Amino acid sequence: MTGDHDILVIGSGAAGLTAALALAEEKRVLVLAKGSLTGGSTAWAQGGIAAVLDAGDTFEDHIHDTMVAGAGLNDRDTVEFVIERAPHAIDRLIELGVPFNKESGALHLTREGGHSHRRIVHVNDATGWAVQEALLKAAEANPNITMLPGRTCIDLITGRHEERYSGAGQVWGAYALDEATGEVEAHVARATVLAAGGAGRCYLFSTAPRGATGDGIAMAWRAGARVSNMEMMQFHPTCLYNLEVKNFLVTEAVRGEGGRLFNPRTGDRFMESYDPERLELAPRDIVARAIDAEIKRYGLDYVHLDISHRDPEFVKEHFPTIHEKLLGLGIDMTTQPIPVVPAQHYTCGGVLVDLYARTDLPGLWAAGECTESGLHGANRLASNSLLECFVFGEAAARDILSMWDELDAPPPIRPWDASRVTDSDEEVVIKQNWTEIRRFMWNYVGIVRTTKRLERAANRIRLLQSEVEDYYGQFRVTTDLIELRNLLQAADLIVTCALKRQESRGLHFTLDHLETDPVAVDTVLLPR
């Protein structure tokens, strides 16, 4: 049992560290990270952060672009709340030392798909890494923040785990596996912030990091929180196609700066047939479906993304990380096209939160990709994701501090009980089930869906659930087992939501319901 802190933050990415830094102004904060402190999605973000900073741009334009991309499913109040706070978030990051690119003394702004203006601040093509570094540096220097890497959270501690049982649903921290020792610790806290990232690893091809197994979403669901819009799974149109290199994203900004998509067999610039006005700058769902259609129609392995018509120095200056990576693979993007395929990229649904980042469960706040705040709707607009992390991380911290005196001190909590389990002698079961989930999710619950395919996925999930629960009940927890359990839970939530939505809207495109309903309605699941 650990207790020399006031507040627990689960996750060390942009949302978690933003919350931790704001909370640490007054309280002692413990940050838990699965694997390394830089293992989350934040460090992988290439593009940048969207904010209204240009003279010709307005909040109203950014709000409009976000609502259009989100196919009307966004919550207007949330969209306004986040976008109006974006310039402040950028100022705060500059204070923390993030070296955003500048041009003639002003911030250099790039443009990405779905945006009507240049409004993306960036650090070359590795913004996320610069942000992660600055936040970590500030957190490490703060005496009120303790960071514990190598901790895989298993479940939220609720009233059910009190020494004196309570059914109130209050959250008092989390049980976490110490990956080095194999021991399970109870990290008890008066308030908990969930910032555990998305569920991208449910899919065979994903740009998400290895640890994006839906842990936060699954834990909150099991504890009794509602989950919403999990069918809205974003696929990034342009992931490098290379059998040796997994999950290397080619940022949206390549298209923003003039990159064009071609069918390698016909030589045609095919976006002219799918979205003749916006072409390669159409929102991600449209571009991903277009690439998927070309690949299926012509039996291709990939399509070509070509920016070689731009000046070589311009390309190298704007995309140094990508240029260098591709050169190492024998591709010179200044003279050759890049082979790309769509890949799962972002979880737009998640744990329901309000504008204070509160979940349904008292004592639990949440921010970032594990949430459904109403910002993204049916499709996330490029570079709004890091922005959401900063705004809601800050909102969670401010809300917790404002109501601190009303929060009860944690009651005595039962330690983790491992008395009835043994070490596994069947690790192959985990690997087999993990591979199976990712494959059927890709084939049956991908970019284009049908009811029959979704029902097949639901049947597979039912079969696996009893097998995984049985295994989980018998053997000591390991990170792989915890992730498998959460991955399966996340897959179940995605498929359940997808079957409920009998229309095509944004990222949910089904051949059985091609029309879009006149009124946009969230898919909200209530815990059983």
Side-chain angles (χ1 to χ4, degrees), residues 271-480:
M271 282 309 297
E272 292 170 353
S273 308
Y274 294 92
D275 199 316
E277 277 188 36
R278 293 176 293 188
L279 300 166
E280 285 82 6
L281 287 176
R284 288 175 174 178
D285 57 330
I286 293 167
V287 180
R289 273 201 301 278
I291 295 172
D292 186 64
E294 290 290 303
I295 284 172
K296 284 179 174 154
R297 185 176 167 197
Y298 290 93
L300 308 171
D301 288 325
Y302 53 82
V303 297
H304 277 149
L305 173 62
D306 195 356
I307 195 169
S308 63
H309 57 282
R310 299 294 311 255
D311 176 65
E313 289 311 310
F314 172 89
V315 173
K316 281 189 258 188
E317 184 187 328
H318 278 73
F319 308 109
T321 313
I322 297 170
H323 178 256
E324 193 179 325
K325 177 81 171 179
L326 292 175
L327 271 185
L329 299 169
I331 302 165
D332 182 351
M333 67 187 287
T334 65
T335 59
Q336 295 169 276
I338 308 163
V340 294
V341 287
Q344 186 286 335
H345 183 56
Y346 192 84
T347 309
C348 288
V351 182
L352 264 177
V353 292
D354 64 13
L355 291 181
Y356 299 97
R358 294 174 190 169
T359 70
D360 296 324
L361 304 174
L364 181 69
W365 286 255
E369 195 178 351
C370 66
T371 68
E372 204 285 289
S373 66
L375 174 63
H376 306 306
N379 184 18
R380 175 175 72 84
L381 182 65
S383 290
N384 270 355
S385 52
L386 283 174
L387 176 59
E388 182 186 35
C389 291
F390 306 128
V391 172
F392 276 91
E394 182 98 7
R398 296 288 161 234
D399 192 50
I400 291 167
L401 294 176
S402 73
M403 62 189 295
W404 186 255
D405 294 338
E406 299 160 40
L407 299 175
D408 293 331
I413 297 296
R414 293 196 307 273
W416 182 261
D417 180 9
S419 62
R420 297 185 299 277
V421 293
T422 58
D423 288 325
S424 167
D425 57 355
E426 285 288 313
E427 290 287 325
V428 67
V429 174
I430 295 176
K431 189 169 186 200
Q432 164 62 29
N433 288 348
W434 178 287
T435 306
E436 198 174 323
I437 293 165
R438 295 179 69 208
R439 197 168 288 281
F440 73 63
M441 287 296 289
W442 182 260
N443 289 333
Y444 294 157
V445 199
I447 295 170
V448 176
R449 299 162 181 176
T450 66
T451 303
K452 191 177 265 186
R453 284 185 211 154
L454 292 173
E455 285 169 349
R456 281 184 182 139
N459 286 335
R460 297 290 194 286
I461 289 167
R462 275 192 292 274
L463 287 170
L464 287 173
Q465 274 168 335
S466 57
E467 196 173 298
V468 170
E469 277 309 310
D470 178 56
Y471 190 96
Y472 181 80
Q474 286 187 47
F475 300 116
R476 276 186 218 287
V477 290
T478 62
T479 296
D480 284 350

Side-chain angles (χ1 to χ4, degrees), residues 133-208:
E133 217 170 25
L135 290 169
L136 265 182
K137 192 175 170 189
E140 282 164 350
N142 193 311
N144 277 347
I145 297 176
T146 303
M147 291 188 285
L148 280 184
R151 297 305 191 278
T152 304
C153 288
I154 306 167
D155 270 316
L156 294 170
I157 294 171
T158 68
R160 286 177 289 186
H161 303 106
E162 291 179 28
E163 283 183 7
R164 182 180 173 186
Y165 179 91
S166 160
Q170 182 88 18
V171 172
W172 300 113
Y175 291 112
L177 172 72
D178 180 333
E179 294 163 18
T181 66
E183 297 300 311
V184 176
E185 307 159 337
H187 296 282
V188 179
R190 192 184 289 207
T192 302
V193 179
L194 192 61
R201 282 299 168 136
C202 284
Y203 287 88
L204 188 61
F205 299 106
S206 172
T207 63

Side-chain angles (χ1 to χ4, degrees), residues 40-156:
S41 294
T42 298
W44 294 44
Q46 291 177 345
I49 305 156
V52 173
L53 300 164
D54 193 35
D57 199 2
T58 64
F59 284 148
E60 193 49 52
D61 284 343
H62 191 177
I63 289 163
H64 177 261
D65 292 345
T66 301
M67 297 291 287
V68 168
L73 196 64
N74 331 56
D75 181 292
R76 171 92 193 191
D77 290 343
T78 306
V79 175
E80 290 176 4
F81 177 80
V82 174
I83 283 161
E84 286 167 7
R85 282 159 180 76
H88 166 75
I90 302 301
D91 289 343
R92 180 83 182 96
L93 290 168
I94 291 168
E95 274 174 39
L96 287 171
V98 177
F100 291 117
N101 286 33
K102 292 192 170 177
E103 198 171 56
S104 311
L107 288 168
H108 178 264
L109 304 174
T110 188
R111 187 175 165 197
E112 294 182 347
H115 288 275
S116 56
H117 293 270
R118 286 183 169 268
R119 61 167 74 101
I120 319 299
V121 297
H122 61 106
V123 182
N124 296 328
D125 53 355
T127 308
W129 184 254
V131 167
Q132 178 79 56
E133 217 170 25
L135 290 169
L136 265 182
K137 192 175 170 189
E140 282 164 350
N142 193 311
N144 277 347
I145 297 176
T146 303
M147 291 188 285
L148 280 184
R151 297 305 191 278
T152 304
C153 288
I154 306 167
D155 270 316
L156 294 170

